[in-house]
Amino acid sequence: GRAEIALVGSAMRIEKCYFCSSNAYPGHGIAFVRNDCKIFRFCRSKCHRAFKMKRNPRKVRWTKAFRKSAGKEMTIDPVLEFEKKRNVPMKYDRELWSQTVRAMKRISEIRQKREGQFVKNRLLAPKEAELQRDLKEIEQNIELMREPVVLPKVMRQKVAAKAAKAETEKMDE
């Protein structure tokens, strides 16, 4: 028979793409080694091509760097500290391992909640501005609204004031 080797619980390192910051899984993507021995890992050829063309990741709209610099994603949050790469070797401890796995699950929950809140707050400002623009447009073109039942009391007073002003102007002519 053949000798079978079972890899139980072995973990491969998931690198980050140098250009777009997405995950570069083992066996996928391209690793570029510069003359000074700096290793650049890319998740796909699209990122590698953009790097070779000397594009700036902060100016390319589909990268994580652009989204962070444009304020579309969280940049300053303690939850993001856990994602950073650590090269310090640690002695295996079963209890520490299980605590780490539990903490990772909890951290991902917290992160999702905070990102959702961040997106909600980011989208709130344009809605407020749109509401203000709509109210201003209604005030300017109030005479186009015919049905007096629809208009609130304050708006009716404004319409009456404008109508009175318009009538006085007609009388003066």
Side-chain angles (χ1 to χ4, degrees), residues 35-49:
N35 286 344
D36 63 352
C37 295
K38 171 132 174 64
I39 300 172
F40 299 93
R41 298 200 186 275
F42 303 102
C43 59
R44 53 188 180 264
S45 60
K46 177 181 180 180
C47 297
H48 187 222
R49 253 193 336 266

Side-chain angles (χ1 to χ4, degrees), residues 23-165:
N23 292 335
Y25 292 96
H28 292 263
I30 301 161
F32 170 69
V33 183
R34 202 164 55 188
N35 286 344
D36 63 352
C37 295
K38 171 132 174 64
I39 300 172
F40 299 93
R41 298 200 186 275
F42 303 102
C43 59
R44 53 188 180 264
S45 60
K46 177 181 180 180
C47 297
H48 187 222
R49 253 193 336 266
F51 176 79
K52 286 193 292 187
M53 288 190 281
K54 297 186 178 180
R55 295 232 168 106
N56 187 348
R58 288 184 305 253
K59 292 183 180 178
V60 179
R61 295 185 69 89
W62 49 269
T63 62
K64 195 164 190 135
F66 173 84
R67 292 188 60 77
K68 283 189 176 186
S69 66
K72 300 201 176 287
E73 283 190 12
M74 289 192 305
T75 53
I76 304 167
D77 200 338
V79 176
L80 300 174
E81 294 294 320
F82 292 110
E83 193 177 290
K84 289 187 177 172
K85 185 176 176 180
R86 292 169 186 80
N87 286 327
V88 180
M90 295 190 66
K91 193 172 182 181
Y92 177 76
D93 180 15
R94 185 178 186 137
E95 183 59 34
L96 179 65
W97 189 261
S98 62
Q99 283 179 353
T100 305
V101 170
R102 283 196 302 268
M104 286 169 63
K105 290 177 184 174
R106 181 74 179 122
I107 288 167
S108 67
E109 290 172 13
I110 292 170
R111 183 178 180 171
Q112 284 178 344
K113 204 180 286 184
R114 286 187 182 172
E115 283 179 348
Q117 189 63 36
F118 178 79
V119 169
K120 194 181 281 186
N121 288 342
R122 187 170 61 87
L123 296 177
L124 197 62
K127 285 183 181 176
E128 283 290 324
E130 186 179 359
L131 181 67
Q132 293 300 324
R133 277 197 310 269
D134 291 346
L135 288 174
K136 186 176 179 182
E137 187 176 346
I138 288 173
E139 275 187 32
Q140 288 174 350
N141 303 315
I142 198 74
E143 65 277 354
L144 297 176
M145 299 177 82
R146 292 187 190 134
E147 196 63 43
V149 179
V150 176
L151 300 175
K153 188 177 183 180
V154 176
M155 291 296 200
R156 276 193 232 130
Q157 290 172 352
K158 286 185 179 180
V159 170
K162 282 188 178 182
K165 189 176 181 181

